Amino acid sequence: MNLHEYQARDLLKAAGVPLPDGDVATTPDEAEAIARRIGGAVVVKAQVHAGGRGKAGGVKLAANAAEARERAAAILGMTIKGLVVGRVLVVPAAEIASESYVGLILDRASQKPVFMVSAAGGVDIEEVAATSPEKIVRLPVDPRYGLLPHQSLRLALSLYREFPQVRAAQRIMQQLYGAFMANGCSLAEINPMVTTPAGAVMALDAKMVIDDNELDRRPDLAALRDESGEAPSEVAARRAGLTFIKLDGNVGCVVNGAGLAMATMDLVKYYGGEPANFLDIGGSSNPEKVINALKIITADPRVKVILFNIFGGITRTDDVANGIVAATRQLKVGVPIVIRLTGTNEAQAIAILEGVGMTALNDMDAAVSRAVELAREAA
Ligand code: GDP
Ligand code: MN
């Protein structure tokens, strides 16, 4: 789950990271009032789940409160990478002497949080990563010991030469690591971390991604979700208790179990097709889940065929068959449905489907290749 900058700032502040005060506004009036309270020059920043806001014109300096109002009026309602800006953050403008990058990601390969830092921070960090990766210093952290002082010292020395700044950067990295671990992050990033002409070090931006698996035990974090920035199909799926990820292909997949869902997608690709989604309807299969799944998948006009792949263990295949029958009665499914099912109550399932003139295949290969073929014919 992505957090907005203003939300990530709160979590970083709680961990001690020095951040300039600020507040969010949804109207130009509110932005002006915040700027007046801050006094002096401010920065008005679009709050959307997208990077590169600066380059897109979503981050603007304002010399005073009246100008902050104008900037907010321009930024509110603008579209950045397909997302409409509904909120802006207003913070005091900092004077910048240098910009560095400090990021922390959960690295699956090393199974550790890994720091990535670079003295070449700011809005071009993606280009730095692509063209001169040697400018990014990487350091894995063993979560049993945490970030050790010699490690943060090494990282900080790759950014700064002045010792007070080195110490300040070490502190910020320690705090960033604390916030990352305390909130179950898969990513936490400060870009830019700046030095001011007076020599202070501070964070001017904050980005955090929370691992979705953290949310069940942290309602305080779950409450930070902003569904306006998410694919509508993923929002609907989450509400229906389905594990769903939207993809770009045209073969809609309904599968029970994450492993089988992955294998099904692989096989779709093997036969030259492209899956439209990942969808795991879970172990227990009440017909309601199947109906919701079909609703979500058929809402995507790109889907040309729907492929069911059900391996009945705890899942009863007759439940799924009933769900398919009920769903096709309720919804106008305008695309062919290919069904493969095997396992628990298979004979009953086949009878239910045949009762309404549908057929079920037993073989996964046959079903997937058939679905891919139908998608190709329709496309
Ligand atoms: P992003 O483009 O979405 O990552 O948004 P950032 O918050 O990182 O802002 C983009 C850029 O705007 C930064 O890299 C800075 O160069 C600039 N910027 C942000 N805040 C300030 C500020 O307080 N003062 C000045 N002078 N520039 C700022
Ligand atoms: Mn940034």
Side-chain angles (χ1 to χ4, degrees):
M1 180 184 80
N2 285 314
L3 296 187
H4 287 298
E5 177 186 7
Y6 73 91
Q7 299 169 325
R9 278 166 49 95
D10 287 345
L11 297 181
L12 290 181
K13 263 192 190 164
V17 175
L19 283 150
D21 277 332
D23 214 341
V24 279
T26 54
T27 64
D29 276 347
E30 283 172 20
E32 181 177 0
I34 297 165
R36 182 151 295 131
R37 191 162 73 236
I38 291 171
V42 295
V43 182
V44 181
K45 311 181 75 177
Q47 299 297 288
V48 282
H49 292 314
R53 296 165 303 163
K55 285 190 171 168
V59 178
K60 296 274 189 216
L61 275 164
N64 52 51
E67 227 176 278
R69 184 199 171 81
E70 282 170 36
R71 299 281 182 263
I75 294 173
L76 285 164
M78 77 185 280
T79 303
I80 299 177
K81 296 186 181 162
L83 300 164
V84 178
V85 181
R87 276 190 217 98
V88 290
L89 172 68
V90 183
V91 283
E95 276 189 77
I96 300 177
S98 74
E99 295 187 304
S100 55
Y101 171 91
V102 179
L104 188 52
I105 54 148
L106 189 65
D107 176 48
R108 286 177 193 276
S110 61
Q111 303 183 356
K112 292 188 174 81
V114 172
F115 264 100
M116 293 188 299
V117 310
S118 177
V123 294
D124 290 322
I125 190 67
E126 281 84 7
E127 201 183 315
V128 172
T131 59
S132 35
E134 74 284 353
K135 287 190 182 158
I136 297 175
V137 178
R138 291 172 59 95
L139 183 123
V141 180
D142 189 326
R144 289 172 298 183
Y145 311 122
L147 179 65
L148 297 170
H150 75 272
Q151 295 177 312
S152 60
L153 181 61
R154 197 188 122 205
L155 292 173
L157 282 170
S158 73
L159 302 179
Y160 305 122
R161 286 278 159 265
E162 304 293 329
F163 227 71
Q165 295 181 349
V166 171
R167 286 296 189 215
Q170 265 191 287
R171 235 176 351 256
I172 291 174
M173 286 185 232
Q174 201 64 251
Q175 291 156 339
L176 182 69
Y177 180 80
F180 180 95
M181 296 302 279
N183 297 297
C185 292
S186 54
L187 178 146
E189 190 181 272
I190 298 172
N191 183 38
M193 180 167 86
V194 301
T195 57
T196 66
V201 179
M202 60 177 148
L204 282 202
D205 190 10
K207 178 173 167 62
M208 276 188 174
V209 180
I210 310 282
D211 188 323
D212 284 345
N213 294 308
E214 189 74 7
L215 301 177
D216 275 341
R217 59 178 178 187
R218 289 290 300 276
D220 57 323
L221 295 177
L224 301 178
R225 189 183 285 284
D226 176 5
E227 293 184 337
S228 72
E230 299 178 328
S233 55
E234 292 187 3
V235 174
R238 193 171 50 248
R239 292 202 177 131
L242 301 164
T243 308
F244 176 90
I245 294 162
K246 166 125 193 47
L247 300 167
D248 294 330
N250 60 8
V251 180
C253 301
V254 185
V255 188
N256 69 315
L260 188 60
M262 298 292 275
T264 306
M265 291 163 58
D266 281 348
L267 206 57
V268 167
K269 284 177 173 264
Y270 175 82
Y271 282 112
E274 285 295 333
N277 63 280
F278 169 97
L279 171 60
D280 172 11
I281 60 169
S284 75
S285 55
N286 61 43
E288 202 59 37
K289 277 198 171 175
V290 178
I291 296 171
N292 283 323
L294 274 182
K295 263 188 202 154
I296 290 161
I297 290 180
T298 52
D300 179 352
R302 264 183 303 193
V303 170
K304 296 288 178 256
V305 62
I306 294 165
L307 167 66
F308 276 82
N309 187 10
I310 305 297
F311 186 88
I314 297 171
T315 303
R316 290 174 36 181
T317 59
D318 56 329
D319 272 350
V320 176
N322 278 324
I324 295 172
V325 172
T328 47
R329 267 199 202 119
Q330 274 184 35
L331 312 168
K332 247 182 67 71
V333 181
V335 296
I337 301 179
V338 177
I339 305 163
R340 179 263 178 160
L341 48 80
T342 186
T344 310
N345 293 359
E346 171 182 325
Q348 290 95 312
I350 290 169
I352 290 165
L353 291 171
E354 284 177 349
V356 296
M358 298 176 102
T359 51
L361 298 167
N362 190 263
D363 182 68
M364 175 159 158
D365 257 300
V368 173
S369 58
R370 176 82 188 120
V372 170
E373 195 183 304
L374 286 169
R376 192 176 298 129
E377 282 168 12

